[in-house]
Amino acid sequence: MKLSPLLAQYLMSNQQLSLVGIGRFVTESQSRADGSPELTIRFNGNKAEKMDEGLVNFVARETGKMKSLAEADLVSYIDQMREFLNIGKPFFLEGIGTLTPLKEGVMEFTAGQIQAEKSKEFPLSEKDSQVQGAIGEDHSLDYSDILGTRKAASNARNKWLTGAVVIVGLGLAIWGGYTLFKSMMRSKADSSPEITTQPVTDTLAVVTTPVNQAPVADPVSSQTYKFIVKEASMRQAYTRYQYLKDQCKVDVHISTTDSVRYQVFFRLPALPSDTTRIADSLNVLYISKGQPRVKVVKY
């Protein structure tokens, strides 16, 4: 379920909505010219606003998630809102209105069409969002698809292409390691006349040793490495992990050793000489400009 409709429901139920680092939305009742009441929304920009525990509990109840995960979703959504406003783009909150950044950090609020409260059994559908955008606001797109990781895909086709590039890159790395392994074994066999080889079912040559000689050490093979793409607190690391796992459909892992710093990483086999090339590929695909680069650690 999208968070934007839930924020509108919370505002209509509680007459106010506080977003940390953004400001506060308040509903007011005014009288029309004919004397009938009219509900309007007013916005007070205040970056000192703190996280509303009531909002966290409401989102947790409506989505069926744990409170900590609901809070992480809210923080991620608000971070995306701030980033969108920081680059000078208006941000549309469904059922509430549009925030437009002006000069010197001032934001202008344009109230939208106030919607009736919807239950979680009947969330706003994608078709309803498109119809609403065609009528009054052309902002029915999902901002988490625009922001997130800039290098990752923002639609189904780009996600498929990203996955294909990763698979091809890993295939080339494994193929290169296998080729080097065979070459080393062939060179070892040529330099040792007393060692014979015999074919086996997997097409690799098995080195045999005469009875009275010590065994020959196996050549260096590939190792398993952790390619760490995110190292942060539990909330930030889990948000990154959930995006890569659910949206990008890649095999990613998360772990911690002290319950303070969490690592989001890919676990890949590679030769030591190939780790830099694989890390560079992951930097291009999953690391935004100005963010820490991929860290390589032996698993």
Side-chain angles (χ1 to χ4, degrees):
M1 178 183 293
K2 293 183 179 180
L3 283 179
S4 188
L6 291 182
L7 299 182
Q9 291 180 31
Y10 185 80
L11 174 60
M12 294 300 105
S13 300
N14 296 271
Q15 287 79 51
Q16 65 178 6
L17 169 66
S18 175
L19 299 182
V20 58
I22 300 294
R24 184 183 297 267
F25 298 89
V26 179
T27 59
E28 295 180 341
S29 180
Q30 298 179 351
S31 297
R32 294 189 177 95
D34 57 2
S36 61
E38 179 184 13
L39 190 63
T40 61
I41 302 175
R42 177 172 50 85
F43 172 71
N44 294 322
N46 182 8
K47 294 186 178 180
E49 288 289 341
K50 297 182 180 180
M51 181 62 72
D52 185 350
E53 289 296 324
L55 176 60
V56 175
N57 293 330
F58 177 80
V59 172
R61 183 175 67 253
E62 292 296 312
T63 60
K65 293 184 178 181
M66 295 172 51
K67 183 178 178 180
S68 59
L69 297 182
E71 183 175 359
D73 288 345
L74 275 171
V75 170
S76 177
Y77 182 82
I78 296 173
D79 286 344
Q80 293 170 2
M81 182 187 302
R82 281 201 297 261
E83 185 171 354
F84 208 78
L85 294 171
N86 287 340
I87 61 176
K89 300 295 185 181
F91 192 95
F92 174 65
L93 291 95
E94 189 174 298
I96 298 177
T98 303
L99 285 176
T100 303
L102 303 178
K103 294 182 179 180
E104 300 180 355
V106 178
M107 288 181 288
E108 180 185 30
F109 174 68
T110 304
Q113 182 179 1
I114 300 177
Q115 298 179 353
E117 184 174 340
K118 293 178 178 292
S119 64
K120 64 181 179 180
E121 289 81 9
F122 300 97
L124 190 65
S125 66
E126 294 294 332
K127 182 177 180 181
D128 292 337
S129 298
Q130 294 173 2
V131 171
Q132 178 183 345
I135 294 174
E137 294 288 345
D138 189 16
H139 303 287
S140 59
L141 54 100
D142 188 352
Y143 291 102
S144 63
D145 293 335
I146 295 177
L147 301 173
T149 50
R150 293 183 179 84
K151 303 299 181 181
S154 61
N155 53 47
R157 184 176 65 178
N158 286 343
K159 289 177 184 178
W160 182 88
L161 291 175
T162 300
V165 170
V166 173
I167 293 173
V168 170
L170 294 179
L172 289 175
I174 296 173
W175 177 81
Y178 175 71
T179 302
L180 180 61
F181 177 76
K182 288 186 64 178
S183 177
M184 292 175 64
M185 291 191 64
R186 188 178 298 109
S187 299
K188 190 71 177 179
D190 292 340
S191 61
S192 303
E194 49 289 290
I195 297 177
T196 60
T197 61
Q198 60 185 8
V200 292
T201 57
D202 61 357
T203 72
L204 293 175
V206 177
V207 179
T208 60
T209 306
V211 176
N212 296 326
Q213 293 184 3
V216 179
D218 292 335
V220 178
S221 61
S222 61
Q223 303 289 334
T224 300
Y225 290 87
K226 291 170 62 176
F227 293 85
I228 303 170
V229 297
K230 183 75 173 181
E231 188 171 13
S233 62
M234 184 272 288
R235 180 187 303 166
Q236 295 176 335
Y238 180 80
T239 299
R240 185 65 167 165
Y241 166 79
Q242 191 177 42
Y243 180 85
L244 293 173
K245 192 78 173 178
D246 298 340
Q247 301 297 325
C248 296
K249 306 298 183 183
V250 294
D251 186 15
V252 67
H253 306 271
I254 185 171
S255 68
T256 182
T257 58
D258 55 11
S259 298
V260 176
R261 301 293 292 176
Y262 287 73
Q263 294 179 344
V264 181
F265 60 91
F266 293 96
R267 186 171 58 196
L268 304 173
L271 292 173
S273 59
D274 291 331
T275 56
T276 299
R277 177 174 56 79
I278 296 175
D280 289 341
S281 297
L282 295 175
N283 281 324
V284 172
L285 291 170
Y286 298 107
I287 302 300
S288 301
K289 184 178 181 181
Q291 297 298 315
R293 313 299 286 174
V294 171
K295 184 188 299 182
V296 182
V297 178
K298 190 173 180 181
Y299 194 74

